[in-house]
Coordinates of all heavy atoms in Angstrom, one line a residue:
M17 N 6.4 -7.3 -23.2 CA 5.4 -8.1 -22.6 C 5.5 -9.6 -23.0 O 5.7 -9.9 -24.1 CB 4.0 -7.5 -22.9 CG 3.0 -7.8 -21.9 SD 1.3 -7.0 -22.2 CE 1.7 -5.3 -22.4
S18 N 5.4 -10.5 -22.0 CA 5.6 -11.9 -22.3 C 4.3 -12.5 -23.0 O 3.2 -11.9 -22.9 CB 5.8 -12.7 -21.0 OG 4.7 -12.8 -20.3
D19 N 4.6 -13.6 -23.7 CA 3.5 -14.3 -24.4 C 2.4 -14.7 -23.4 O 1.3 -14.7 -23.7 CB 4.0 -15.4 -25.2 CG 4.9 -15.0 -26.4 OD1 4.7 -13.8 -26.9 OD2 5.7 -15.8 -26.9
V20 N 2.9 -15.2 -22.3 CA 2.0 -15.7 -21.3 C 1.1 -14.6 -20.7 O -0.1 -14.7 -20.6 CB 2.7 -16.4 -20.1 CG1 1.8 -16.7 -18.9 CG2 3.4 -17.6 -20.6
H21 N 1.7 -13.4 -20.5 CA 1.0 -12.3 -20.0 C -0.1 -11.9 -21.0 O -1.2 -11.6 -20.7 CB 2.0 -11.1 -19.7 CG 1.4 -10.0 -19.0 ND1 0.9 -8.9 -19.6 CD2 1.1 -9.9 -17.7 CE1 0.4 -8.1 -18.7 NE2 0.5 -8.6 -17.5
N22 N 0.3 -11.8 -22.3 CA -0.7 -11.5 -23.4 C -1.8 -12.5 -23.4 O -2.9 -12.1 -23.7 CB 0.0 -11.4 -24.7 CG 0.9 -10.1 -24.8 OD1 0.6 -9.1 -24.2 ND2 1.9 -10.2 -25.6
L23 N -1.4 -13.7 -23.3 CA -2.5 -14.8 -23.3 C -3.5 -14.6 -22.1 O -4.7 -14.8 -22.4 CB -1.8 -16.2 -23.2 CG -2.7 -17.4 -23.2 CD1 -3.4 -17.5 -24.5 CD2 -1.9 -18.6 -22.8
L24 N -3.0 -14.3 -21.0 CA -3.9 -14.0 -19.8 C -4.8 -12.9 -20.1 O -6.0 -12.9 -19.7 CB -3.0 -13.8 -18.6 CG -2.3 -15.0 -18.0 CD1 -1.4 -14.6 -16.9 CD2 -3.3 -16.1 -17.6
I25 N -4.2 -11.8 -20.7 CA -5.1 -10.6 -21.0 C -6.1 -11.0 -22.0 O -7.3 -10.7 -21.8 CB -4.2 -9.5 -21.5 CG1 -3.4 -8.9 -20.3 CG2 -5.0 -8.4 -22.1 CD1 -2.3 -7.9 -20.7
R26 N -5.8 -11.6 -23.1 CA -6.8 -12.0 -24.1 C -7.8 -13.0 -23.5 O -9.0 -12.9 -23.8 CB -6.1 -12.7 -25.3 CG -5.4 -11.7 -26.2 CD -5.0 -12.3 -27.5 NE -4.3 -13.6 -27.4 CZ -3.0 -13.8 -27.3 NH1 -2.2 -12.7 -27.1 NH2 -2.5 -15.0 -27.2
G27 N -7.4 -13.9 -22.6 CA -8.3 -14.8 -22.0 C -9.3 -14.0 -21.1 O -10.5 -14.3 -21.1
S28 N -8.8 -13.1 -20.3 CA -9.8 -12.3 -19.5 C -10.7 -11.5 -20.3 O -11.9 -11.4 -20.0 CB -9.0 -11.3 -18.6 OG -8.3 -12.0 -17.6
E29 N -10.3 -11.0 -21.4 CA -11.2 -10.2 -22.3 C -12.2 -11.1 -22.9 O -13.4 -10.7 -23.0 CB -10.4 -9.5 -23.4 CG -9.5 -8.4 -22.9 CD -8.5 -7.9 -24.0 OE1 -8.2 -8.6 -25.0 OE2 -8.0 -6.8 -23.8
K30 N -11.9 -12.3 -23.3 CA -12.8 -13.3 -23.8 C -13.8 -13.7 -22.8 O -15.0 -13.8 -23.0 CB -12.1 -14.5 -24.4 CG -11.4 -14.3 -25.7 CD -10.7 -15.5 -26.2 CE -11.7 -16.4 -26.8 NZ -11.1 -17.5 -27.5
V31 N -13.4 -13.9 -21.5 CA -14.3 -14.3 -20.4 C -15.3 -13.2 -20.2 O -16.5 -13.4 -20.0 CB -13.5 -14.6 -19.2 CG1 -14.4 -14.7 -17.9 CG2 -12.7 -15.9 -19.3
I32 N -14.8 -11.9 -20.2 CA -15.7 -10.8 -20.0 C -16.8 -10.8 -21.1 O -18.0 -10.6 -20.8 CB -14.9 -9.5 -19.9 CG1 -14.1 -9.4 -18.6 CG2 -15.9 -8.3 -20.0 CD1 -13.1 -8.3 -18.5
G33 N -16.3 -10.9 -22.3 CA -17.3 -10.9 -23.4 C -18.3 -12.0 -23.3 O -19.5 -11.8 -23.6
H34 N -17.9 -13.2 -22.9 CA -18.8 -14.3 -22.7 C -19.8 -14.0 -21.6 O -21.0 -14.2 -21.8 CB -18.0 -15.6 -22.3 CG -18.8 -16.8 -22.1 ND1 -19.4 -17.5 -23.1 CD2 -19.1 -17.4 -21.0 CE1 -20.1 -18.5 -22.6 NE2 -19.9 -18.5 -21.3
Y35 N -19.4 -13.5 -20.5 CA -20.3 -13.1 -19.4 C -21.3 -12.0 -19.9 O -22.4 -12.0 -19.5 CB -19.6 -12.7 -18.2 CG -19.1 -13.9 -17.4 CD1 -17.8 -13.9 -16.9 CD2 -19.9 -15.0 -17.1 CE1 -17.3 -15.0 -16.2 CE2 -19.4 -16.1 -16.4 CZ -18.2 -16.1 -15.9 OH -17.7 -17.2 -15.2
R36 N -20.8 -11.1 -20.7 CA -21.7 -10.0 -21.2 C -22.8 -10.6 -22.1 O -24.0 -10.2 -22.0 CB -20.9 -9.0 -22.0 CG -20.1 -8.1 -21.0 CD -19.4 -7.0 -21.8 NE -18.8 -6.1 -20.8 CZ -17.7 -5.4 -21.0 NH1 -17.1 -5.5 -22.2 NH2 -17.2 -4.7 -20.1
M37 N -22.4 -11.6 -22.9 CA -23.5 -12.3 -23.7 C -24.5 -13.0 -22.8 O -25.7 -13.0 -23.0 CB -22.8 -13.3 -24.7 CG -22.1 -12.6 -25.8 SD -21.4 -13.7 -27.1 CE -21.5 -15.3 -26.4
L38 N -24.0 -13.7 -21.8 CA -24.9 -14.4 -20.8 C -25.7 -13.4 -20.1 O -26.9 -13.6 -19.9 CB -24.1 -15.2 -19.8 CG -23.4 -16.4 -20.4 CD1 -22.4 -17.0 -19.4 CD2 -24.4 -17.5 -20.9
L39 N -25.2 -12.2 -19.7 CA -25.9 -11.2 -19.0 C -27.1 -10.7 -19.9 O -28.2 -10.5 -19.4 CB -25.0 -10.0 -18.7 CG -25.6 -8.8 -18.0 CD1 -26.3 -9.2 -16.7 CD2 -24.6 -7.8 -17.8
A40 N -26.8 -10.5 -21.2 CA -27.8 -10.0 -22.1 C -29.0 -11.0 -22.2 O -30.1 -10.6 -22.5 CB -27.2 -9.8 -23.5
S41 N -28.8 -12.3 -22.0 CA -29.8 -13.3 -22.1 C -30.3 -13.8 -20.8 O -31.1 -14.8 -20.8 CB -29.4 -14.4 -23.0 OG -28.3 -15.1 -22.4
A42 N -29.9 -13.2 -19.7 CA -30.3 -13.7 -18.4 C -31.8 -13.6 -18.2 O -32.4 -12.7 -18.7 CB -29.6 -12.9 -17.3
R43 N -32.3 -14.6 -17.5 CA -33.8 -14.7 -17.4 C -34.3 -14.1 -16.0 O -35.5 -13.9 -15.9 CB -34.3 -16.1 -17.5 CG -34.0 -16.6 -18.9 CD -34.4 -18.0 -19.0 NE -34.0 -18.5 -20.4 CZ -34.6 -19.5 -20.9 NH1 -35.6 -20.2 -20.4 NH2 -34.2 -19.9 -22.1
S44 N -33.4 -14.0 -15.1 CA -33.9 -13.5 -13.8 C -32.9 -12.5 -13.3 O -31.7 -12.4 -13.7 CB -34.0 -14.7 -12.8 OG -32.7 -15.2 -12.5
E45 N -33.3 -11.7 -12.3 CA -32.4 -10.7 -11.6 C -31.3 -11.4 -10.9 O -30.2 -10.9 -10.9 CB -33.2 -9.9 -10.7 CG -32.5 -8.7 -10.1 CD -31.9 -7.8 -11.2 OE1 -32.5 -7.6 -12.3 OE2 -30.8 -7.2 -11.0
S46 N -31.5 -12.6 -10.3 CA -30.4 -13.3 -9.7 C -29.3 -13.7 -10.7 O -28.1 -13.6 -10.4 CB -30.9 -14.5 -8.9 OG -31.5 -15.4 -9.7
E47 N -29.7 -14.1 -11.8 CA -28.8 -14.5 -12.9 C -28.0 -13.2 -13.3 O -26.8 -13.3 -13.5 CB -29.5 -15.0 -14.1 CG -29.4 -16.5 -14.3 CD -30.0 -16.9 -15.7 OE1 -31.2 -16.6 -15.9 OE2 -29.3 -17.5 -16.4
R48 N -28.7 -12.1 -13.5 CA -28.0 -10.9 -13.9 C -27.0 -10.4 -12.9 O -25.9 -10.0 -13.2 CB -29.1 -9.8 -14.2 CG -29.8 -10.0 -15.5 CD -30.7 -8.8 -15.8 NE -31.9 -8.8 -15.0 CZ -33.0 -9.5 -15.3 NH1 -33.0 -10.3 -16.4 NH2 -34.1 -9.5 -14.6
E49 N -27.4 -10.5 -11.6 CA -26.5 -10.1 -10.5 C -25.2 -11.1 -10.5 O -24.1 -10.6 -10.3 CB -27.2 -10.2 -9.2 CG -28.1 -9.0 -8.9 CD -27.4 -7.7 -9.0 OE1 -26.3 -7.5 -8.4 OE2 -27.9 -6.8 -9.7
L50 N -25.4 -12.3 -10.7 CA -24.3 -13.3 -10.8 C -23.4 -12.9 -11.9 O -22.1 -12.8 -11.7 CB -24.8 -14.7 -11.0 CG -23.8 -15.8 -11.2 CD1 -23.0 -16.0 -10.0 CD2 -24.4 -17.0 -11.7
Y51 N -23.9 -12.6 -13.1 CA -23.0 -12.3 -14.2 C -22.4 -10.9 -14.0 O -21.2 -10.7 -14.4 CB -23.8 -12.3 -15.5 CG -24.3 -13.7 -15.9 CD1 -25.6 -13.9 -16.3 CD2 -23.5 -14.8 -15.7 CE1 -26.0 -15.2 -16.6 CE2 -24.0 -16.1 -16.0 CZ -25.2 -16.3 -16.4 OH -25.7 -17.5 -16.7
R52 N -23.1 -10.0 -13.5 CA -22.4 -8.7 -13.2 C -21.3 -8.8 -12.2 O -20.2 -8.2 -12.4 CB -23.5 -7.7 -12.6 CG -24.4 -7.1 -13.6 CD -25.4 -6.1 -13.0 NE -26.5 -5.8 -13.9 CZ -27.7 -6.1 -13.6 NH1 -28.1 -6.6 -12.4 NH2 -28.7 -5.8 -14.5
A53 N -21.5 -9.6 -11.2 CA -20.4 -9.9 -10.2 C -19.2 -10.6 -10.9 O -18.0 -10.2 -10.6 CB -20.9 -10.7 -9.0
R54 N -19.4 -11.5 -11.7 CA -18.4 -12.2 -12.4 C -17.6 -11.3 -13.4 O -16.4 -11.3 -13.5 CB -18.9 -13.4 -13.1 CG -19.3 -14.5 -12.1 CD -19.7 -15.8 -12.8 NE -20.1 -16.8 -11.8 CZ -20.5 -18.0 -12.1 NH1 -20.7 -18.3 -13.3 NH2 -20.8 -18.8 -11.1
I55 N -18.4 -10.4 -14.1 CA -17.8 -9.4 -15.0 C -16.9 -8.5 -14.2 O -15.7 -8.2 -14.5 CB -18.8 -8.7 -15.8 CG1 -19.5 -9.6 -16.8 CG2 -18.2 -7.4 -16.4 CD1 -20.7 -9.0 -17.4
A56 N -17.4 -8.0 -13.0 CA -16.6 -7.1 -12.2 C -15.3 -7.8 -11.7 O -14.3 -7.2 -11.7 CB -17.5 -6.6 -11.0
R57 N -15.4 -9.0 -11.3 CA -14.2 -9.7 -10.8 C -13.2 -9.9 -11.9 O -12.0 -9.7 -11.7 CB -14.7 -11.1 -10.2 CG -13.5 -11.9 -9.6 CD -14.0 -13.2 -9.1 NE -14.4 -14.0 -10.3 CZ -15.2 -15.1 -10.2 NH1 -15.8 -15.4 -9.1 NH2 -15.6 -15.7 -11.3
E58 N -13.7 -10.3 -13.0 CA -12.8 -10.5 -14.2 C -12.2 -9.2 -14.6 O -11.0 -9.1 -15.0 CB -13.5 -11.2 -15.3 CG -12.6 -11.8 -16.3 CD -11.8 -13.0 -15.8 OE1 -12.2 -13.7 -14.9 OE2 -10.6 -13.1 -16.3
Q59 N -13.0 -8.1 -14.6 CA -12.4 -6.8 -15.0 C -11.3 -6.3 -14.0 O -10.3 -5.8 -14.4 CB -13.6 -5.8 -15.0 CG -13.1 -4.4 -15.5 CD -12.7 -4.5 -17.0 OE1 -13.4 -4.9 -17.8 NE2 -11.5 -4.0 -17.3
R60 N -11.5 -6.6 -12.7 CA -10.5 -6.3 -11.8 C -9.2 -7.1 -12.1 O -8.1 -6.5 -12.0 CB -10.9 -6.6 -10.3 CG -11.9 -5.6 -9.8 CD -12.1 -5.7 -8.3 NE -12.6 -7.1 -7.9 CZ -13.9 -7.4 -7.9 NH1 -14.8 -6.6 -8.2 NH2 -14.2 -8.7 -7.6
L61 N -9.3 -8.3 -12.4 CA -8.2 -9.1 -12.8 C -7.5 -8.6 -14.0 O -6.3 -8.4 -14.1 CB -8.6 -10.6 -13.0 CG -7.5 -11.5 -13.6 CD1 -6.3 -11.6 -12.6 CD2 -8.1 -12.9 -13.9
L62 N -8.3 -8.2 -15.0 CA -7.8 -7.7 -16.3 C -7.1 -6.3 -16.0 O -6.0 -6.1 -16.5 CB -8.9 -7.5 -17.3 CG -8.5 -6.9 -18.6 CD1 -7.5 -7.7 -19.3 CD2 -9.8 -6.7 -19.5
D63 N -7.6 -5.5 -15.2 CA -7.0 -4.2 -14.8 C -5.7 -4.5 -14.1 O -4.7 -3.8 -14.4 CB -7.9 -3.4 -13.9 CG -9.1 -2.9 -14.6 OD1 -9.2 -2.9 -15.9 OD2 -10.1 -2.5 -13.9
T64 N -5.6 -5.4 -13.3 CA -4.4 -5.8 -12.6 C -3.3 -6.3 -13.6 O -2.2 -5.9 -13.5 CB -4.6 -6.9 -11.5 OG1 -5.5 -6.4 -10.6 CG2 -3.3 -7.3 -10.8
L65 N -3.7 -7.1 -14.5 CA -2.8 -7.6 -15.5 C -2.3 -6.5 -16.4 O -1.1 -6.5 -16.7 CB -3.5 -8.7 -16.4 CG -3.8 -10.0 -15.8 CD1 -4.7 -10.9 -16.6 CD2 -2.5 -10.8 -15.6
Q66 N -3.2 -5.6 -16.8 CA -2.8 -4.6 -17.7 C -1.9 -3.5 -17.0 O -1.0 -3.0 -17.6 CB -4.0 -3.9 -18.4 CG -4.7 -4.8 -19.3 CD -6.0 -4.2 -19.9 OE1 -6.7 -3.4 -19.2 NE2 -6.3 -4.6 -21.1
H67 N -2.3 -3.1 -15.8 CA -1.6 -2.0 -15.2 C -0.4 -2.6 -14.3 O 0.5 -1.8 -14.1 CB -2.5 -1.2 -14.3 CG -3.6 -0.6 -15.1 ND1 -4.9 -0.9 -15.1 CD2 -3.5 0.4 -16.1 CE1 -5.6 -0.2 -16.0 NE2 -4.7 0.6 -16.6
G68 N -0.5 -3.8 -13.9 CA 0.6 -4.3 -13.1 C 1.9 -4.4 -13.9 O 3.0 -4.0 -13.3
L69 N 1.9 -4.7 -15.1 CA 3.1 -4.8 -15.9 C 3.6 -3.4 -16.2 O 4.8 -3.2 -16.2 CB 2.9 -5.5 -17.3 CG 4.1 -5.8 -18.1 CD1 5.0 -6.7 -17.3 CD2 3.8 -6.4 -19.4
V70 N 2.7 -2.4 -16.4 CA 3.2 -1.1 -16.7 C 3.9 -0.5 -15.5 O 5.0 0.1 -15.6 CB 1.9 -0.2 -17.0 CG1 2.4 1.3 -17.0 CG2 1.3 -0.6 -18.3
D71 N 3.4 -0.8 -14.3 CA 4.0 -0.3 -13.0 C 5.4 -0.9 -12.9 O 6.4 -0.3 -12.5 CB 3.2 -0.7 -11.8 CG 1.9 0.1 -11.8 OD1 1.8 1.1 -12.5 OD2 1.0 -0.3 -11.0
R72 N 5.6 -2.2 -13.2 CA 6.9 -2.9 -13.1 C 7.9 -2.4 -14.1 O 9.0 -2.2 -13.8 CB 6.7 -4.4 -13.2 CG 6.3 -5.0 -11.9 CD 6.2 -6.5 -12.1 NE 4.9 -6.9 -12.4 CZ 4.5 -7.8 -13.2 NH1 5.4 -8.6 -13.8 NH2 3.3 -8.1 -13.5
S73 N 7.4 -2.1 -15.3 CA 8.3 -1.6 -16.3 C 8.8 -0.2 -16.1 O 9.8 0.2 -16.5 CB 7.7 -1.7 -17.7 OG 6.6 -0.9 -17.8
A74 N 8.0 0.6 -15.3 CA 8.4 2.0 -15.0 C 9.5 2.0 -13.9 O 10.2 3.0 -13.8 CB 7.2 2.7 -14.6
A75 N 9.6 0.9 -13.2 CA 10.6 0.9 -12.0 C 12.0 0.7 -12.5 O 12.3 0.3 -13.6 CB 10.2 -0.2 -11.1

């Protein structure tokens, strides 16, 4: 796995953690929905990063 790929994965994990902290302190339902959507988007990106390389290495 390349250093850049690992950096992207760690970055996505940090972003998700940051949004989870913001979600825990959200003051309104609209804020909570915003953070949930951002977490979901970042999780999809992270899943793609993690599984995309596995698929390519198996080929």
Side-chain angles (χ1 to χ4, degrees):
M17 206 176 301
S18 75
D19 290 339
V20 172
H21 192 261
N22 286 333
L23 179 68
L24 290 172
I25 288 173
R26 284 193 314 273
S28 286
E29 290 169 342
K30 287 180 78 171
V31 167
I32 290 169
H34 179 72
Y35 281 132
R36 285 184 177 149
M37 287 185 347
L38 291 171
L39 177 60
S41 64
R43 296 179 185 205
S44 68
E45 187 57 34
S46 62
E47 255 188 303
R48 285 187 283 278
E49 286 300 316
L50 174 68
Y51 296 137
R52 285 183 192 116
R54 289 183 179 179
I55 290 168
R57 183 182 66 203
E58 197 66 32
Q59 186 64 54
R60 284 190 304 273
L61 173 61
L62 179 59
D63 291 344
T64 300
L65 286 168
Q66 290 175 330
H67 297 111
L69 188 64
V70 170
D71 293 342
R72 279 185 265 146
S73 65

